[in-house]
Each structure stands twice: as structure tokens, then as C-alpha cells.
Amino acid sequence: TPYDIDYKVLIIGESRVGKTSIIKRLNNEGFSESTISTVGLDFVNAFFNIDGVTVRLQIWDTAGQERFRTITRSHFRNTKGTVLVYDISDRESFEKLEYWVDNLSNMNLDREVVYIIGNKNDLESEREISYEQGQKFASRNLVKFFETSAKNGNNLQEIFKTLAFDILDS
Ligand code: GTP
């Protein structure tokens, strides 16, 4: 697919929050209930048309499991956007956001466009973190906040299109 501009985007967050499921859904690969934890790095390309400009987002999936974490500054020197993911049905994954935000500033990625996404909002009956809590944390860190579900695809295309727009605009 031809494109005009190409940006590298990083997805990070705790293990099992749904990072791989999000990028699979963006890549039209559907959803599976059972997945294998990511080891190392993988990426998909997603294309968005923004006012006649075709933007290619090269979206990098990272390993959430500590022993597989390989994110280093050099890997992501040209990152333009970072998406921090937690699971709305898992309080601990939300509490760990603090760690990931610190990590971003250590890698000097905090000056790029950063989003926080609460995933699995199809699991309303298991919800442990309210929309307002997510929003409050994001606004305290001056970043945009969204909820989504990789399972039903709710809102996902729109979120990444907005991200492409914000990067283009930054
Ligand atoms: P690591 O590779 O270990 O970092 O995990 P990950 O963040 O990539 O999570 P992954 O996409 O592998 O998903 C973990 C589990 O959550 C799998 O069983 C998925 O099917 C499930 N899952 C992911 N997204 C959703 C969602 O939106 N809703 C529901 N109900 N389950 C989800």
C-alpha cells in the first residue's frame, strides 16, 4: 500500500492487558480468546487517510512480561507516538501505569504523542476501574484517554486515526 508519511508507534503496558489483541484487530486479524504472550517485538502497519494524506502507522507490539521486556531507547529512537494500555477489569494493570509513565520519561518518549487506553470494556460486569478514574489519571499526566475493546473492536480504528492525526499535527 502506498503512503505519504510513516510514523512509528509503540504499544506498552502490563502482560495480558491485550496489546497483541489490539494490534491484531487493527490488522483485521480478528480476535482470539486465548493468546500466547509476546516475546520480543512485532509490528503491524495501519493506514489512515487524513485530509488526503495517507499516513502509515507502524505499530510496535511489546512484551508485557518482565523477563521478555526489551524496550530500549535505541529501539525506539524514532517513535512518534506511544499508547499505554491497561485492562479495565484488572486494577493492578491500572496501578502499574505509574511505572510505565516513569519509564516513558526515562526514555525521553514523554514529549511524543502519548495516549492511555483502558482495554476490555466489553467486560462491564468485571470492571474494576471506572471510566472517570482512567480519565483522571490521563488528565493528570496531560495525555488523551480512551476506552476500547479488542474483542468487539469498539472505537479502535477511531482511536488510532486520531493518534495519526495528532502526530501529523504535532
Ligand atoms: P503480553 O504479550 O503478555 O504482554 O500480553 P498482551 O498485552 O499482548 O495481551 P494479549 O493480547 O495476549 O491478551 C491477553 C488475554 O486477554 C487473551 O486471553 C485475550 O483474548 C484477552 N483479551 C484481549 N483483549 C481483550 C478484550 O478487549 N476483551 C476481552 N474480554 N478479552 C481480551
Side-chain angles (χ1 to χ4, degrees), residues 87-90 118-133 147-149 151-152 154:
D87 169 353
I88 67 131
S89 69
D90 175 7
N119 188 39
K120 309 196 189 181
N121 78 344
D122 57 289
L123 299 177
E124 197 49 57
S125 62
E126 292 166 47
R127 180 187 282 277
E128 292 186 353
I129 301 298
S130 70
Y131 184 90
E132 290 67 31
Q133 279 174 291
E147 278 191 359
T148 189
S149 161
K151 184 169 184 174
N152 62 28
N154 171 30

Side-chain angles (χ1 to χ4, degrees), residues 58-94:
Q58 193 182 97
I59 306 169
W60 286 78
D61 187 15
T62 65
Q65 274 188 51
E66 201 132 14
R67 64 202 162 114
F68 297 135
R69 278 178 204 160
T70 49
I71 317 169
T72 65
R73 197 175 313 186
S74 65
H75 273 117
F76 297 106
R77 206 174 308 147
N78 301 314
T79 298
K80 294 291 181 204
T82 307
V83 176
L84 275 170
V85 183
Y86 69 94
D87 169 353
I88 67 131
S89 69
D90 175 7
R91 174 173 301 280
E92 199 186 329
S93 74
F94 178 74

Side-chain angles (χ1 to χ4, degrees), residues 13-22 31-39 61-65 87 119-123 148-152:
E14 286 303 294
S15 182
R16 312 310 286 166
V17 297
K19 301 178 296 299
T20 303
S21 301
I22 286 172
F31 174 78
S32 47
E33 292 286 349
S34 62
T35 62
I36 301 166
S37 278
T38 302
V39 178
D61 187 15
T62 65
Q65 274 188 51
D87 169 353
N119 188 39
K120 309 196 189 181
N121 78 344
D122 57 289
L123 299 177
T148 189
S149 161
K151 184 169 184 174
N152 62 28

